[in-house]
Amino acid sequence: MLRAFVCMSKNLNLSKTCAELGATRQTVRRHITDLETIRGEKLFEVVDRHYHLTPEGLGSLDDAKSLLLQLDLWAGQSSLKKNSSHGLEKFQYTDENGLMFFSQQHSVSQVALKGLPLMRRAFVAWGNAETRIEHEQMEVIRPYSLLYRMSPAGWVFVDVGSESAYARWFGWTWSRSAIGKLMNEDDVGDEYNEFIAGAYSRIYEEGGVRLDHIYAYLAKDGGEPLPVTFQRLLLGCVFPDGTPGLTVLAAITNQVEIDAVKDIAPPVLPDHIVMDSLPEFADEVS
């Protein structure tokens, strides 16, 4: 039922959904009807023989995708692998081209103990600002950050810092054009989105902090995907009206600790994009 709902939400076409699932029209219709009965609400409406998500269907879609992905993970049917150790998550994802991505969560205490200067300043600024986005302390890290708001359709870029890792890697055109767009508009797939942003919702809702080290392949300046390593700090924040937001601070660096890649040579990163020792934060206390 979940798979029929998610697939139909993507295609909004019964024939395409049947072909993708290898099921009959009657079966797909029954699965969707049964799911609507269980939830007690209509998920689709049909207008002039075309399917459309209802507001209730749109509001249920993210949860359905998440549940479906968790089922596939549990059953070993996903190219995304996840495990936990001492409450800290590790992810491994293989894309359609065989490129392998890795992520490992670290204790937030590592920011204070041996964090990069930028990360340490960000953590202090977040605490002094009492999680408020529009605060003078947060202005210090704003050029290096991404800011998101959650909408019913997904994560929306609110701001992309001109000195952020994302702007450095993807280029000025992408970074300035991203504002106002949904993060999932690139249609890279639910497994990749879970690898990149699976932790966003938890930090967003709880207002907490999370530190990850990541090895990924990302298209640089619109070209072919290249390997890159970075540390990422997620900071749950609030907008002036009290609604939640999410600040994402990434620092491109070879200083990553990921068990799965410790025997792999680190990628060659151009000196001008490495963010280990930014002059603005050279005076951070050791």
Side-chain angles (χ1 to χ4, degrees):
M1 287 185 290
L2 283 172
R3 207 174 297 280
F5 170 51
V6 170
C7 191
M8 178 66 86
S9 300
K10 177 181 67 175
N11 294 319
L12 294 176
N13 181 285
L14 184 58
S15 297
K16 288 182 179 179
T17 299
C18 292
E20 188 169 327
L21 296 177
T24 65
R25 299 169 74 89
Q26 182 181 10
T27 298
V28 171
R29 284 198 188 102
R30 185 180 72 250
H31 284 330
I32 291 174
T33 299
D34 288 348
L35 188 59
E36 289 177 330
T37 300
I38 291 170
R39 293 190 57 81
E41 58 190 13
K42 294 292 290 183
L43 301 173
F44 295 97
E45 59 181 357
V46 182
V47 180
D48 295 331
R49 301 175 66 180
H50 293 286
Y51 280 80
H52 303 271
L53 278 166
T54 64
E56 293 77 15
L58 182 60
S60 303
L61 185 55
D62 277 351
D63 284 345
K65 288 181 177 180
S66 179
L67 284 168
L68 189 58
L69 180 58
Q70 293 305 314
L71 286 169
D72 286 343
L73 282 170
W74 180 79
Q77 296 178 0
S78 171
S79 58
L80 177 68
K81 309 299 180 185
K82 172 184 175 182
N83 62 71
S84 298
S85 176
H86 305 291
L88 301 175
E89 295 178 332
K90 298 178 183 179
F91 286 90
Q92 179 177 319
Y93 165 71
T94 305
D95 73 3
E96 60 185 8
N97 297 313
L99 298 176
M100 299 183 71
F101 299 62
F102 304 90
S103 173
Q104 183 167 330
Q105 183 184 3
H106 288 265
S107 168
V108 177
S109 63
Q110 294 301 307
V111 176
L113 294 174
K114 54 181 179 180
L116 299 174
L118 172 60
M119 296 298 196
R120 297 167 74 177
R121 175 64 69 87
F123 190 60
V124 171
W126 177 80
N128 288 340
E130 298 177 340
T131 77
R132 289 174 289 176
I133 291 170
E134 299 297 337
H135 189 282
E136 61 181 7
Q137 289 283 332
M138 295 294 284
E139 289 300 315
V140 177
I141 64 167
R142 192 71 170 263
Y144 302 91
S145 308
L146 266 73
L147 182 60
Y148 291 100
R149 185 191 288 275
M150 175 61 87
S151 77
W155 292 104
V156 178
F157 288 98
V158 175
D159 188 37
V160 180
S162 59
E163 298 298 324
S164 66
Y166 296 84
R168 290 167 184 253
W169 189 264
F170 294 113
W172 181 88
T173 299
W174 177 89
S175 61
R176 301 315 300 168
S177 301
I179 297 173
K181 290 185 177 180
L182 291 167
M183 188 175 69
N184 58 7
E185 282 185 4
D186 51 13
D187 195 29
V188 291
D190 294 333
E191 293 170 330
Y192 178 80
N193 284 329
E194 175 67 14
F195 173 82
I196 290 294
Y200 284 19
S201 294
R202 295 188 289 277
I203 299 303
Y204 178 84
E205 292 165 0
E206 298 166 3
V209 184
R210 173 172 170 142
L211 174 67
D212 295 283
H213 290 194
I214 298 173
Y215 183 110
Y217 287 82
L218 303 173
K220 190 171 188 313
D221 297 321
E224 292 297 314
L226 297 174
V228 59
T229 49
F230 55 96
Q231 297 184 20
R232 183 186 68 187
L233 191 64
L234 305 181
L235 302 168
C237 298
V238 292
F239 287 97
D241 64 357
T243 56
L246 179 70
T247 294
V248 179
L249 191 83
I252 299 171
T253 176
N254 280 318
Q255 296 186 48
V256 296
E257 296 179 17
I258 303 174
D259 294 340
V261 300
K262 58 187 176 182
D263 295 327
I264 299 176
V268 179
L269 301 173
D271 291 339
H272 69 278
I273 67 169
V274 172
M275 303 170 70
D276 291 5
S277 303
L278 296 170
E280 301 91 319
F281 306 106
D283 295 332
E284 288 297 296
V285 178
S286 301

